[in-house]
């Protein structure tokens, strides 16, 4: 990875200027104290952070600005920080000043105006996206989850709150249970029958779309067999009903939600069997697929004259053929191809959240590169690789259901469970052998003269 100009070089170049209040001299003095009004609210480790001299580098301007007593100056600092991180990831700076940035942003959430609160959540989301230390990411999750949950219940929800919750849980959750906890918070906000005191039925279409995609972003990180059997019952019916919404963006989000749910391979966790029957998975898949195809087609027919109806059309094709229409993205001359709904959902969400900084992240952020298995530095294959066994490149992927507690099963149930798991492995082996056989046949038919 080539070295980029640091955050501190931006000021010298003139592309960004620090907030006016931070350029004034003599307004604050150095030392180890913080503003008296915040002293009792911050953790001990933060109150011990020395306040730097205003004449120092850009990190000094940022820290000084976040300690400003005036809310408009803190807001200005946060805006400056977001713009700066769109141009340079500044991972070292964020790692070094992690505690200061996180807890000053949390302070702004408690004390600031709506814009300052939104900017604070955006900066925290950027922290979670850029910082690589797992302990720091876990700290963000622990500190933010109750704050964001309370913000959703307060009735003053914004898109930034929903985005921050999704980003923090996506990168900061350490296990599936933590991810599902965040998903459940969003689901309670989405579901009109939740126990929230606020009336979520009157949410704007913009907020509804943001909440759906925040939930989907987290779902895209979960393996189907790890999902709870109790949390998501009725989700298919909920999103199917959203297809009747008069806003095309809501219909598009609902259609993609249904597609991603189908891709998880765990329909029984999202469906309520109202008739009391227990069909096989293939029967459920076929029946639901036909029903939802009809619903999605109807939504597309109603909205096809509108712009941006392509999402629904792609979902129609998916339910018709079980094939995802691949999407491509070019980064530094390299093509990133996405051929699954979970990848498409992740790309859409991150692209919107990072906005102008998305290209920079895809070029330099190893977390995003690992997420999409994409390395823009890797040179193109100019020909066949020598001395590499072709068969080493052949593999199949399958998911083994979580093993149930054998002591809780009857003898007959244990037998069925054992046969089912054995069948999954045998099927994967058969697929692998078929791929080897087809490759061998193809190689034999080649003319090497």
């Amino acid at each position: 990875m080539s070295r980029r100009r640091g955050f501190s070089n931006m000021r010298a170049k003139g592309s960004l200027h620090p907030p006016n209040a931070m350029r004034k001299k003599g307004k604050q003095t150095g030392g180890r104290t913080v503003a008296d009004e915040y002293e009792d609210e911050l953790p001990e480790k933060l109150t011990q952070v020395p306040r730097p001299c205003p004449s120092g580098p850009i990190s000094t301007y940022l820290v000084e600005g976040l300690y400003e007593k005036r809310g408009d100056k803190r807001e200005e600092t946060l805006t400056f920080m977001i713009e700066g991180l769109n141009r340079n990831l500044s991972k070292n700076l964020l790692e070094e000043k992690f505690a200061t940035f996180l807890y000053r942003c949390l302070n702004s959430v408690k004390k600031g105006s709506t814009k300052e609160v939104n900017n604070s959540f955006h900066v925290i989301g950027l922290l979670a996206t850029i910082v690589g230390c797992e302990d720091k990411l876990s700290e963000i999750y622990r500190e933010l989850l109750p704050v964001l949950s309370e913000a959703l219940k307060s009735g003053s929800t914004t898109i930034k709150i929903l985005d921050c919750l999704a980003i923090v849980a996506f990168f900061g959750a350490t296990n599936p249970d933590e991810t599902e906890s965040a998903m459940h918070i969003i689901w309670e906000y989405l579901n009109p029958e939740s126990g929230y005191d606020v009336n979520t039925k009157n949410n704007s279409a913009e907020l509804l779309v943001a909440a759906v995609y925040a939930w989907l972003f987290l779902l895209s990180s979960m393996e189907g067999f790890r999902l709870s059997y109790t949390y998501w019952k009725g989700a298919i019916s909920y999103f199917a009903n959203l297809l009747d919404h008069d806003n095309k963006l809501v219909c598009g989000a609902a259609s993609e939600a249904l597609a991603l749910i189908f891709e998880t391979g765990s329909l029984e966790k999202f469906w309520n069997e109202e008739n009391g029957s227990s069909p096989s998975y293939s029967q459920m898949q076929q029946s639901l697929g036909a029903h939802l195809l009809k619903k999605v087609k109807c939504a597309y027919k109603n909205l096809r004259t509108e712009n941006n109806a392509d999402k629904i059309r792609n979902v129609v094709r998916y339910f018709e053929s079980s094939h995802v229409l691949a999407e491509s993205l070019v980064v530094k001359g390299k093509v990133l191809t996405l051929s699954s709904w979970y990848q498409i959902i992740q790309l859409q969400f991150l692209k919107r959240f990072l906005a102008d900084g998305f290209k920079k992240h895809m070029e330099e952020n190893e977390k995003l590169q690992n997420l999409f298995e994409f390395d823009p530095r890797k040179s193109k294959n100019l020909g066949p690789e020598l001395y590499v066994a072709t068969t080493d490149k052949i593999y199949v992927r399958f998911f083994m259901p979580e093993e149930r507690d054998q002591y809780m099963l009857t003898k007959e149930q244990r037998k069925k469970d054992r046969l089912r798991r054995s069948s999954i492995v045998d099927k994967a082996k058969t697929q692998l052998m078929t791929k080897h056989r087809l490759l061998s046949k193809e190689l034999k038919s080649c003319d090497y003269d």
Side-chain angles (χ1 to χ4, degrees):
M1 182 182 298
S2 58
R3 293 182 63 86
R4 300 285 174 177
R5 285 191 293 272
F7 214 159
S8 59
N9 290 343
M10 294 180 193
R11 180 168 175 266
K13 184 178 178 181
S15 59
L16 283 174
H17 300 286
N20 293 332
M22 294 188 290
R23 294 199 296 268
K24 294 179 180 180
K25 296 183 178 180
K27 190 168 184 178
Q28 296 178 348
T29 60
R32 300 180 63 85
T33 60
V34 296
D36 293 339
E37 61 181 290
Y38 306 134
E39 185 86 30
D40 297 332
E41 299 180 10
L42 299 178
E44 181 181 355
K45 62 182 177 182
L46 187 56
T47 60
Q48 295 175 353
V49 175
R51 302 191 68 189
C53 174
S55 61
I58 197 68
S59 59
T60 301
Y61 288 116
L62 292 176
V63 175
E64 286 289 335
L66 294 176
Y67 276 109
E68 282 279 1
K69 291 184 177 181
R70 292 179 54 183
D72 59 331
K73 302 306 178 184
R74 297 194 303 271
E75 177 186 310
E76 192 177 356
T77 302
L78 291 164
T79 300
F80 171 65
M81 190 172 181
I82 293 169
E83 293 173 352
L85 290 173
N86 280 340
R87 290 173 169 82
N88 190 294
L89 304 191
S90 305
K91 181 177 179 180
N92 291 338
L93 172 62
L94 297 185
E95 295 273 7
E96 179 186 354
K97 303 293 183 182
F98 169 80
T100 301
F101 293 151
L102 174 60
Y103 290 101
R104 294 315 300 171
C105 284
L106 284 172
N107 182 79
S108 290
V109 167
K110 297 177 182 178
K111 302 287 186 180
S113 63
T114 299
K115 186 173 182 181
E116 183 182 350
V117 170
N118 285 336
N119 283 350
S120 297
F121 282 132
H122 197 133
V123 169
I124 291 172
L126 290 172
L127 271 176
T129 306
I130 298 172
V131 168
C133 175
E134 292 185 3
D135 289 341
K136 289 183 171 66
L137 291 171
S138 182
E139 183 175 355
I140 296 176
Y141 176 90
R142 293 194 308 270
E143 294 291 341
L144 263 294
L145 202 67
V147 173
L148 292 165
S149 177
E150 187 61 34
L152 288 180
K153 294 178 182 179
S154 68
S156 57
T157 304
T158 64
I159 291 177
K160 293 297 184 184
I161 292 174
L162 292 163
D163 286 352
C164 184
L165 175 55
I167 289 285
V168 164
F170 188 91
F171 292 110
T174 58
N175 56 61
D177 289 341
E178 289 187 346
T179 301
E180 279 202 289
S181 293
M183 289 175 64
H184 193 58
I185 291 172
I186 300 172
W187 185 248
E188 286 185 322
Y189 173 79
L190 275 173
N191 189 355
E193 298 178 358
S194 69
Y196 275 25
D197 294 331
V198 297
N199 187 359
T200 57
K201 292 182 179 180
N202 295 327
N203 286 333
S204 67
E206 187 179 32
L207 276 175
L208 182 57
V209 170
V212 170
Y213 280 118
W215 187 82
L216 291 179
F217 184 60
L218 294 179
L219 177 60
S220 72
S221 69
M222 294 285 290
E223 295 174 300
F225 73 91
R226 295 187 183 278
L227 290 165
S228 168
Y229 273 95
T230 57
Y231 279 169
W232 317 120
K233 291 292 186 181
I236 289 178
S237 298
Y238 173 79
F239 290 118
N241 290 334
L242 281 187
L243 291 173
D244 298 326
H245 202 282
D246 56 3
N247 184 283
K248 64 179 182 295
L249 296 178
V250 174
C251 292
S255 64
E256 289 192 307
L258 293 169
L260 182 60
I261 286 173
F262 259 70
E263 192 176 69
T264 64
S266 299
L267 295 179
E268 72 281 1
K269 297 181 179 181
F270 299 91
W271 178 248
N272 271 335
E273 293 92 0
E274 297 177 355
N275 57 7
S277 62
S278 299
S280 67
Y281 187 84
S282 59
Q283 290 174 329
M284 181 190 302
Q285 187 179 41
Q286 184 177 3
S287 175
L288 279 175
H291 171 68
L292 294 177
L293 173 60
K294 184 178 180 180
K295 292 275 294 183
V296 176
K297 273 187 173 180
C298 183
Y300 176 64
K301 182 179 179 180
N302 294 335
L303 297 172
R304 64 183 175 184
T305 57
E306 304 275 354
N307 295 326
N308 199 30
D310 290 343
K311 289 183 178 180
I312 303 179
R313 180 178 59 186
N314 291 343
V315 175
V316 170
R317 291 176 177 173
Y318 172 70
F319 280 117
E320 286 178 335
S321 63
S322 298
H323 177 72
V324 180
L325 185 64
E327 294 188 11
S328 298
L329 178 73
V330 179
V331 179
K332 297 188 72 172
K334 306 296 188 300
V335 179
L336 169 62
T337 302
L338 309 174
S339 56
S340 61
W341 280 114
Y342 80 88
Q343 289 179 316
I344 292 172
I345 294 295
Q346 289 171 355
L347 181 73
Q348 286 179 175
F349 188 92
L350 290 168
K351 195 172 184 179
R352 181 180 60 81
F353 175 75
L354 297 171
D356 295 339
F358 176 76
K359 183 178 179 182
K360 175 66 68 175
H361 277 266
M362 288 303 299
E363 291 176 352
E364 298 185 5
N365 191 332
E366 292 184 1
K367 289 170 68 174
L368 266 60
Q369 291 170 4
N370 292 335
L371 178 66
F372 295 107
E373 298 180 348
F374 175 73
D375 187 355
R377 300 164 298 178
K378 187 176 181 180
S379 59
K380 292 182 178 179
N381 236 352
L382 301 179
E385 298 180 53
L386 299 180
Y387 310 113
V388 176
T390 309
T391 53
D392 286 347
K393 297 182 180 180
I394 301 176
Y395 64 92
V396 294
R397 177 179 296 175
F398 68 97
F399 297 99
M400 181 67 72
E402 188 173 7
E403 188 171 5
R404 295 184 292 175
D405 188 349
Q406 298 296 303
Y407 292 102
M408 302 296 292
L409 304 177
T410 64
K411 182 178 180 180
E412 185 64 24
Q413 288 174 329
R414 287 197 297 270
K415 180 180 178 181
K416 288 183 178 180
D417 194 53
R418 184 171 63 255
L419 291 175
R420 180 171 60 111
R421 298 173 68 83
S422 178
S423 175
I424 293 174
V425 175
D426 290 342
K427 182 179 179 180
K429 288 180 179 178
T430 301
Q431 291 175 343
L432 184 61
M433 291 174 64
T434 300
K435 289 188 175 186
H436 279 289
R437 185 169 60 253
L438 291 175
L439 176 63
S440 178
K441 183 178 179 180
E442 184 178 347
L443 290 175
K444 288 180 180 178
S445 66
C446 293
D447 184 4
Y448 294 100
D449 294 335

